[in-house]
Amino acid sequence: MSDKTFYISTPIYYPSGRLHIGSAYTTIASDVLARYKRLMGFDVFFVTGLDEHGQKIQDKAADAGLEPQAYVDGMAKDVQELWSLLNISYDRFIRTTDADHEAVVAQIFEKLLAQDDIYLGEYSGWYSVSDEEFFTETQLIEVFRDEEGTVIGGIAPSGHEVEWVSEESYFLRLSKYSQWLADYFKEHPEFISPDGRMNEMLRNFIEPGLEDLAVSRTSFTWGVPVPSNSKHVIYVWIDALANYITALGYGQDADSNFAKFWPGDIHMLGKDILRFHSIYWPIILKMLDLPLPKRLIAHGWFVMQDGKMSKSKGNVVYPEMLVERYGLDALRYYLVRSLPVGSDGTFTPEDYLGRINYELANDLGNLLNRTVAMVNKYFDGQVPAFVSGVTAFDGDLEVKAQETIQEFHKQMEAVNLPRALETVWKFIMRTNKYIDETQPWVLAKEEGDREQLASAMSHLVASLQWIAGLLQPFMMETSRSILNQLGLAEISSLEGLAFGNIPAGAQVLAKGQPIFPRLDMEEEIAYIQSQMAGGQQEEAWDPANVDLLLNKKAIKFEDFDKVEIRVAEVKDVWRVEGSDKLLAFRLDAGDGQDRQILSGIAAYYPDPQVLLGKKLQIVANLKPRKMMGLVSQGMILSAEFEDRLAVMIVDDAIPNGSILG
Ligand code: MSP
């Protein structure tokens, strides 16, 4: 066991919808740091999870026709599946509905109440359910008034509507700690990155004097109840922030991870939640007499060319699609390389594919391919022994390798991941240039140049080993594949890495395998665009088609042809437990196996058994998806009219599996 410890956390995400590449970014960036620290000999604890309480989640569950617990259980499964697809090496997946977490949150609240850091009062204000936050009238970006000019509503800075709420509430005595926090900031300039954010917090919130914060609600029930006054539930942000210590076992048992890992090293978070982490969280910890986390790293957002990602705009990019089509490492690389430190980054399909083609397939992939091919051609696949500094080119490359690793560590410590990758890429380019400088194909012609040729080969292999080591926290599969193709062992530590440490007799693969495919830009841009939820590009509009097309845009025949609609007979149908919307069907689609499809039509078929034996039309080649923990392998076609809905039943005489078109 190492005595160097490292504790890193992501924010805990709201399970209010599918997670997009923005949340994937924070989690992957944290994973990169966790893996890096492990390779540097640290004992790492990495926490991520879900923020499952609050009115927003209660409302989402109600929309889905589910109890909140059933709803968050389903979401938690999906999110964990996503993290496993992205190879996230977390040590604990904390959910705010975990019993140990809830118990400690209640305990913290009562402790602060007993010591008068929390008190009971009355709150009135403009409340936004979506933001889970109260606003003053002056904070609203728009106010609605009645005829007499009285304000009757408004819009929060986030764009969400607010409502007037007046309720008894507990308050957290932030006001008492304004000065303490201002002093803490001044004594710990490293507490918040990037630079500049700390001043923003001081100027905008702390120096004007903090107001006490309402930390309980009586308007809904989905949360941790205040033990001594159960009509109140504890405000989600107290519940959520506490995860950073409950995940370590704080308040539970004495020799938990808490003693070992707290104070945390890094909380990764987005700029929008820095206020909660830099003001409320430190003050809560101070009240609990606990040390503060060492660093808050606030990153910008991934946005689209037309602004924020949003379902209604149809411009949301989900990570699964990118992984399925282009592999995990391309996604991990793109996300951490493209978001500049401290500002927003724009996702574009062109940029995504460009990085794959130029940086991954060209710069890195070609270097590997050329090296494997040359070692095969000139040395029968056996890597010559490494000898330092045979030529001036070799000496220079060795120096560059040392400079690279130093700069790399510096950037990793600074949590400047794009710069760390850029440093590796400069070295990749330098190594590519080394091939041009040494010209192995010329050396191969003269027997007298054999030693130089051997040295060029071993230096190329050493550089790729170096590159594979530094890339390992970012792209595990790529790193493994590079080493494997060169006949080298996996790297389990970056601490003792020495340039040129290649075992005698390493045997490269007889034929190199491309680590990244070269992509057809135009085709793939179209693909990514078609996959952005509902986000078809505007196409030239032919007025002649308006009547025929009603409210849809024209598609090409090839697009229609991708959809396989089949006749399938209902063998069994039942209501899905815990959902009042979903029916589950077992169908025979003529392919000799049972097919399960879930359909949100329960409300229209109070007695679903009437569908038994009926032949329906299904979309048979939809990608399977999970709902409520059950797999759905397709979609049942139906027609909606007035306020009714009917499934598309076909004639009994048509055999199961017949294809419509
Ligand atoms: N539940 C709170 C966090 C509580 S932490 C004690 C929350 N959840 S969230 O799901 O809305 O956001 C989680 C994180 O995702 C935030 O850090 C937020 O900045 C980040 N992102 C949301 N959209 C994003 C992008 N488009 N790009 C990058 N990060 C984004 O807030």
Side-chain angles (χ1 to χ4, degrees), residues 327-362:
L328 173 58
D329 282 358
L331 177 74
R332 289 179 63 107
Y333 174 76
Y334 174 84
L335 290 180
V336 287
R337 176 97 198 235
S338 306
L339 194 70
V341 167
S343 53
D344 290 346
T346 308
F347 174 95
T348 64
E350 290 82 350
D351 193 26
Y352 194 80
L353 301 162
R355 284 193 187 274
I356 298 181
N357 270 354
Y358 301 120
E359 291 160 18
L360 299 177
N362 248 10

Side-chain angles (χ1 to χ4, degrees), residues 402-522:
Q402 296 311 335
E403 287 172 4
T404 298
I405 200 163
Q406 273 168 23
E407 180 66 15
F408 177 82
H409 287 315
K410 189 174 130 199
Q411 298 301 345
M412 292 302 279
E413 285 308 320
V415 193
N416 192 334
L417 304 180
R419 206 40 87 64
L421 282 173
E422 195 184 308
T423 307
V424 180
W425 249 258
K426 280 194 181 142
F427 185 63
I428 293 172
M429 317 275 232
R430 178 68 193 79
T431 311
N432 271 320
K433 191 172 142 214
Y434 172 86
I435 302 181
D436 300 336
E437 289 171 342
T438 52
Q439 300 192 317
W441 51 94
V442 176
L443 297 174
K445 289 189 186 139
E446 293 288 335
E447 196 42 45
D449 290 340
R450 195 79 189 149
E451 191 193 346
Q452 286 184 37
L453 182 63
S455 186
M457 293 304 110
S458 64
H459 275 73
L460 286 174
V461 172
S463 293
L464 277 160
Q465 184 188 39
W466 208 240
I467 292 160
L470 302 188
L471 289 184
Q472 194 178 310
F474 298 84
M475 302 194 273
M476 296 75 76
E477 212 30 69
T478 302
S479 169
R480 199 171 303 138
S481 173
I482 293 174
L483 294 168
N484 179 40
Q485 295 198 38
L486 297 172
L488 301 175
E490 262 181 55
I491 293 168
S492 56
S493 163
L494 286 183
E495 279 181 299
L497 211 59
F499 190 74
N501 189 5
I502 304 165
Q507 183 76 34
V508 306
L509 284 195
K511 184 146 177 33
Q513 298 155 356
I515 39 179
F516 290 96
R518 176 166 295 283
L519 303 167
D520 178 318
M521 288 291 266
E522 217 173 295

Side-chain angles (χ1 to χ4, degrees), residues 11-14 20 22 51 237 240-241 243-244 269-270 272-273 277 299-302 309:
I12 48 173
Y13 304 98
Y14 289 127
H20 53 54
D51 190 356
W237 271 100
L241 290 162
N243 97 83
Y244 298 127
L269 43 123
D272 52 315
I273 55 174
H277 285 78
H299 61 75
W301 275 36
F302 263 108
M309 269 187 274

Side-chain angles (χ1 to χ4, degrees), residues 10-16 19-27 49-52 56 96 130 236-244 268-274 276-277 281 297 299-304 308-309 339 344-345:
T10 74
I12 48 173
Y13 304 98
Y14 289 127
S16 47
L19 298 187
H20 53 54
I21 53 165
S23 328
Y25 165 76
T26 320
T27 315
L50 293 180
D51 190 356
E52 299 185 345
K56 186 162 57 176
T96 51
S130 300
V236 274
W237 271 100
I238 294 222
D239 181 7
L241 290 162
N243 97 83
Y244 298 127
M268 289 288 269
L269 43 123
K271 58 181 185 179
D272 52 315
I273 55 174
L274 178 60
F276 300 93
H277 285 78
W281 183 223
I297 309 281
H299 61 75
W301 275 36
F302 263 108
V303 294
M304 309 302 285
K308 248 171 108 164
M309 269 187 274
L339 194 70
D344 290 346

